[in-house]
Amino acid sequence: MQTCLRVYIKITAVQLLMCFATYATAQITVDNGATLYITNAAALNVQGNISNNGIFYGVNGALVLNGSSAQTISGKSIYISNLTVNNTAGATIAGGDTLKVYGVYTPAAGVLAADGYLLLASNAAGTASVAQGTGAYFTGNAIVQRYIPGHRAWRLLTAPLSNTGSLYSNWQNNGVATDTSGVDIWSPTGTGSAGNGELHGGGAPSAEFYNYALNNGDGGGWEGLTDTKNTLLSSTAASAANNAFALFVTGPYGSNKISPSTGDTATTLIATGQLQTGTQVFNYGNIPTGNYILTGNPYASPVDFAGIGASGAATGNIYNTMWVWDAQRAGTSYGGYVMFNYDAVTGTYDQDIDASQTQQTSIIQSGQAFFVQAVNNTQPVKVTFNETDKAGAANITNSVFFAPQPAAVQQLRIVLNNTGQPEDGVLLKFGDVYSKRLTDDGNKLFDYDENLSIRVDTNYLGIERMPLPQATDTINLDLYALKARGNYSFTFMPQNLPANTLHAWLVDQYLNSATPLSLSSTTGVPFTTSTDTASYREERFIVVFSTAGTLATLVTSLQAWQQGTGAEVEWTAGNEEDVKQYQAEKCTDGQNFAALSVPVKPVNKGVTATYKVFDGTPAEGSNYYRIKIQHKDGTIAYTEVAEVKFNKANAAFSVYPNPAQHGMQINLLVSNMAAGKYQLLLLSSDGRKIMERSLALESGFATQGVALPGSVAVGSYSIILLDAKGHQWTQQLIITK
């Protein structure tokens, strides 16, 4: 039902409820003690002036100013969801109190003069925005809010205004404590409201800015704020005046929630200044090659990075890539980066963090800041925003630039989990159109918690694009800031990979093991760390690919161990009727394998057969071994990789298989040890003795099977070998289901 009224409305000491679709009126006056409600998404079209001395409440409705002569709004506060100014003669908020908008302000025609009486509200239900406009459509100051939910975390923030004054006078409420707004900012040098505006406390400043001009080889760097009273939230520049900061937000100004034990509370940041409209250009000048620039969204509106990145890559000397800090990213304590990197082949953006771990999209919210990266130092860096970059309310979560990847995309997403929860991730994207060189990849920005990246030479990537892997291609994973005694795992999520002709293994260089990875379905691989620093070193894991043949399931085991001054390589095979020959291969870097011996012909008698090859010249340190299997039809397959850490001078003690399945027997391998009696201990991760046995070992090389107690549960253990003189050798043993 649609009703249209064209009358003068004067409300005295009564309530008027407007709940139909459309109203039109020449003028509205609400007297003291009277109430005007607009509800049920009704639209109130006003062609004259509005005078409110009572209650004007329409947070579920719309107000349209569409007169033909200048209109004025005066009196007490008006609360409205959506505001449209469609009057070429313009409108003025004349003072008294504010016009509070909770939805969208649409500048259809004419200029709205506010002079500090327009408030764009933000709360848990949503944040007001300014729709796309043309020409000059706003003058004066506006008040812009940014709601921050309760969570002790870093945020990258800005205020979409110019001429604001200091951080202290805006985000710190000019020193007025409340329980709903502002933010405490502290530092070890803080002297309070009478000094530099910062509370005294914490081990480091809770507010930082990013110095993109540092020529330190690290892409710039964070610097803590030392005086919020003399740090501008935005400047008086004619264009793109807003500054961007990192804030550790714990609660409203005056809440004093500095230590973790004090918890956190939601708050709303409030800033006052001139609303930035029209094209906004951040001119950063010439800065060091590869440096990162923290840029704030200049609009009180969500924007889509697609247009910003495209123009920046074309004329702004930046890559078409952005890094956004997600304070709520799954598996993190204080938040983490999410990267969006443009793929010129598909015309879409890839993100390094899976969508299940983050709510961040290509849309940059009002009040949000993000990183871009300079291409080189020979041209000035410019980041340009246009009104056409604004994302309408209907597109905030459904941007066409971040639709799901097309089915033809071939990729492998790797997620690092901590105690079962996603922590960080990287993306490998494959195709003949991509280069092996670092020309179309995305750099990693490191978080405060555990990090996963792809290491290429001295570069750390979050996204690597490359041709489909060839035989022995290796991906070096890099783990940063793992914790001792951690319970971690990887999740490998392939998409559209040729699982029949391409195979992959995760090689654990600490446990000397390799785990086959499915390239058709998700694979989970658990691992733990101990107090041994080698268990959480950055280079612990690599992914090795093979492209020919089928997965070598006919080889039921591969073992390699130190044998005197050399290394013995042994493998067992089942059905061999289609095998032409075996070739043992070796390398010392986990990548470049070469033949270790002459080819070995299969026994092929229909029974399980065991083969051995001796390496008489192993290198000091790590030696990697695998078996190349050539089939009669010419296809090639490779086994998993076995590693021997060789030290000719010292005794060696190892355990296989490791990880071992619950209920299985394990095998001890010892070499260069004196003959005699030994004690074997099995300790749990908390130091409890689970098993103790006596062993009699011969000198030189020996192998001995050990049955574990049935009570040994899934988990991480230490297995210790003791000789009669108290010498000790220790290995970590992982028991899986």
Side-chain angles (χ1 to χ4, degrees):
M1 177 177 180
Q2 181 168 332
T3 300
C4 182
L5 303 177
R6 187 176 299 276
V7 295
Y8 292 91
I9 296 178
K10 180 177 175 64
I11 305 172
T12 57
V14 296
Q15 289 189 356
L16 177 63
L17 177 65
M18 293 184 168
C19 57
F20 296 107
T22 304
Y23 295 86
T25 181
Q27 183 172 308
I28 291 180
T29 300
V30 182
D31 284 345
N32 186 25
T35 303
L36 172 62
Y37 286 106
I38 305 175
T39 186
N40 290 353
L44 176 60
N45 290 269
V46 181
Q47 297 177 343
N49 297 329
I50 299 175
S51 176
N52 176 43
N53 295 302
I55 297 175
F56 193 128
Y57 192 79
V59 293
N60 294 314
L63 175 63
V64 181
L65 304 179
N66 60 352
S68 57
S69 58
Q71 294 175 260
T72 301
I73 300 174
S74 62
K76 294 182 178 180
S77 290
I78 294 176
Y79 302 83
I80 198 74
S81 177
N82 298 319
L83 170 69
T84 298
V85 178
N86 190 16
N87 181 348
T88 56
T92 300
I93 307 175
D97 213 329
T98 52
L99 175 61
K100 300 179 180 180
V101 178
Y102 290 82
V104 180
Y105 157 41
T106 302
V111 177
L112 177 62
D115 199 23
Y117 298 108
L118 174 69
L119 184 146
L120 299 176
S122 179
N123 54 38
T127 298
S129 64
V130 180
Q132 178 181 331
T134 57
Y137 57 79
F138 187 88
T139 62
N141 286 347
I143 304 169
V144 178
Q145 297 181 341
R146 175 72 264 172
Y147 175 79
I148 307 292
H151 180 52
R152 297 182 69 88
W154 287 97
R155 271 87 171 185
L156 301 184
L157 298 171
T158 190
L161 303 164
S162 64
N163 292 276
T164 59
S166 69
L167 265 75
Y168 185 81
S169 62
N170 288 270
W171 285 352
Q172 291 178 277
N173 298 345
N174 203 30
V176 178
T178 75
D179 58 359
T180 59
S181 66
V183 62
D184 278 331
I185 297 177
W186 63 81
S187 72
T189 59
T191 53
S193 59
N196 62 8
E198 299 179 350
L199 293 175
H200 180 77
S206 68
E208 299 177 329
F209 71 95
Y210 196 81
N211 189 343
Y212 57 80
L214 289 178
N215 197 0
N216 56 4
D218 292 327
W222 290 106
E223 296 185 8
L225 296 187
T226 58
D227 187 347
T228 58
K229 287 188 173 182
N230 290 293
T231 300
L232 293 178
L233 183 59
S234 70
S235 69
T236 59
S239 176
N242 54 300
N243 297 317
F245 303 92
L247 281 184
F248 192 79
V249 183
T250 60
Y253 181 79
S255 60
N256 294 313
K257 295 181 178 295
I258 299 177
S259 69
S261 62
T262 57
D264 52 70
T265 307
T267 188
T268 301
L269 303 183
I270 303 174
T272 302
Q274 294 179 4
L275 200 64
Q276 297 186 131
T277 65
T279 298
Q280 300 287 313
V281 182
F282 291 90
N283 288 291
Y284 294 105
N286 294 55
I287 65 175
T289 298
N291 273 24
Y292 296 94
I293 307 103
L294 182 63
T295 300
N297 179 359
Y299 296 136
S301 171
V303 297
D304 196 315
F305 179 72
I308 301 158
S311 64
T315 61
N317 193 30
I318 64 171
Y319 293 104
N320 197 345
T321 303
M322 76 166 177
W323 294 262
V324 185
W325 185 268
D326 179 4
Q328 303 283 359
R329 206 186 82 186
T332 63
S333 301
Y334 305 118
Y337 287 107
V338 183
M339 174 173 56
F340 296 90
N341 178 265
Y342 184 67
D343 182 346
V345 175
T346 61
T348 60
Y349 286 81
D350 296 320
Q351 63 186 75
D352 59 341
I353 303 298
D354 188 70
S356 64
Q357 296 175 244
T358 178
Q359 297 299 311
Q360 182 64 50
T361 68
S362 67
I363 304 300
I364 308 160
Q365 298 299 317
S366 172
Q368 189 175 21
F370 60 98
F371 276 102
V372 294
Q373 187 181 24
V375 175
N376 59 62
N377 62 358
T378 62
Q379 303 175 46
V381 170
K382 295 192 301 181
V383 184
T384 303
F385 294 76
N386 293 297
E387 290 275 346
T388 53
D389 295 321
K390 290 183 176 180
N395 297 320
I396 290 176
T397 58
N398 297 304
S399 170
V400 296
F401 294 97
F402 284 80
Q405 293 287 353
V409 170
Q410 295 177 301
Q411 63 184 35
L412 176 64
R413 191 176 294 280
I414 308 174
V415 178
L416 172 66
N417 307 289
N418 185 357
T419 62
Q421 298 299 316
E423 183 80 30
D424 202 3
V426 295
L427 176 67
L428 292 162
K429 196 171 183 182
F430 306 111
D432 294 337
V433 294
Y434 301 127
S435 170
K436 278 193 172 183
R437 298 183 299 274
L438 298 172
T439 57
D440 47 15
D441 302 321
N443 291 334
K444 185 76 175 182
L445 275 181
F446 288 89
D447 309 326
Y448 289 93
D449 297 287
E450 291 89 335
N451 288 260
L452 172 64
S453 61
I454 301 166
R455 188 179 70 259
V456 179
D457 298 325
T458 59
N459 300 282
Y460 297 87
L461 308 177
I463 295 175
E464 182 177 12
R465 299 186 182 95
M466 59 184 292
L468 202 64
Q470 302 298 311
T472 73
D473 274 356
T474 298
I475 304 299
N476 295 296
L477 302 181
D478 190 272
L479 295 166
Y480 178 69
L482 290 190
K483 298 176 176 62
R485 298 187 181 277
N487 184 15
Y488 298 101
S489 65
F490 290 111
T491 302
F492 294 86
M493 297 183 289
Q495 183 179 343
N496 301 312
L497 295 179
N500 292 330
T501 57
L502 180 68
H503 311 296
W505 290 266
L506 177 68
V507 177
D508 186 335
Q509 300 180 103
Y510 174 67
L511 296 179
N512 305 329
S513 64
T515 303
L517 303 175
S518 172
L519 295 184
S520 59
S521 60
T522 298
T523 303
V525 182
F527 69 97
T528 59
T529 58
S530 65
T531 54
D532 183 355
T533 57
S535 71
Y536 49 88
R537 69 186 179 100
E538 294 184 30
E539 303 85 2
R540 175 172 170 175
F541 292 97
I542 60 175
V543 176
V544 178
F545 289 95
S546 169
T547 58
T550 58
L551 190 61
T553 54
L554 59 87
V555 175
T556 57
S557 69
L558 172 66
Q559 304 165 29
W561 60 87
Q562 183 175 341
Q563 172 80 323
T565 59
E568 194 81 57
V569 181
E570 178 183 284
W571 68 98
T572 301
N575 184 4
E576 304 176 296
E577 58 181 291
D578 65 341
V579 175
K580 179 180 179 181
Q581 64 182 31
Y582 302 105
Q583 175 73 68
E585 295 186 336
K586 168 192 172 182
C587 73
T588 56
D589 60 2
Q591 302 181 56
N592 301 303
F593 284 88
L596 174 63
S597 65
V598 297
V600 177
K601 298 294 183 180
V603 175
N604 197 16
K605 293 184 178 180
V607 295
T608 299
T610 299
Y611 304 88
K612 288 185 179 181
V613 169
F614 185 72
D615 179 10
T617 58
E620 290 287 332
S622 293
N623 294 261
Y624 300 94
Y625 302 94
R626 71 179 185 186
I627 307 302
K628 176 181 178 181
I629 305 170
Q630 183 176 347
H631 297 274
K632 293 178 180 178
D633 62 3
T635 60
I636 303 295
Y638 294 90
T639 66
E640 62 185 18
V641 177
E643 181 187 10
V644 177
K645 290 182 178 179
F646 200 85
N647 189 327
K648 297 178 182 178
N650 298 326
F653 164 60
S654 61
V655 181
Y656 76 93
N658 192 0
Q661 290 185 347
H662 180 263
M664 287 182 58
Q665 173 178 289
I666 62 171
N667 298 283
L668 308 181
L669 295 173
V670 296
S671 61
N672 294 332
M673 289 188 178
K677 292 184 178 181
Y678 292 78
Q679 292 296 112
L680 184 69
L681 303 178
L682 182 68
L683 304 182
S684 64
S685 58
D686 59 3
R688 292 183 296 109
K689 185 165 65 176
I690 306 300
M691 180 191 74
E692 181 176 1
R693 294 188 182 173
S694 298
L695 301 176
L697 300 179
E698 299 177 354
S699 62
F701 168 78
T703 180
Q704 185 164 340
V706 176
L708 298 177
S711 59
V712 174
V714 172
S716 175
Y717 297 85
S718 295
I719 188 163
I720 301 172
L721 189 66
L722 296 169
D723 67 10
K725 296 181 180 180
H727 297 142
Q728 176 177 310
W729 296 265
T730 303
Q731 290 283 320
Q732 185 186 36
L733 174 65
I734 305 298
I735 304 296
T736 62
K737 293 182 179 179

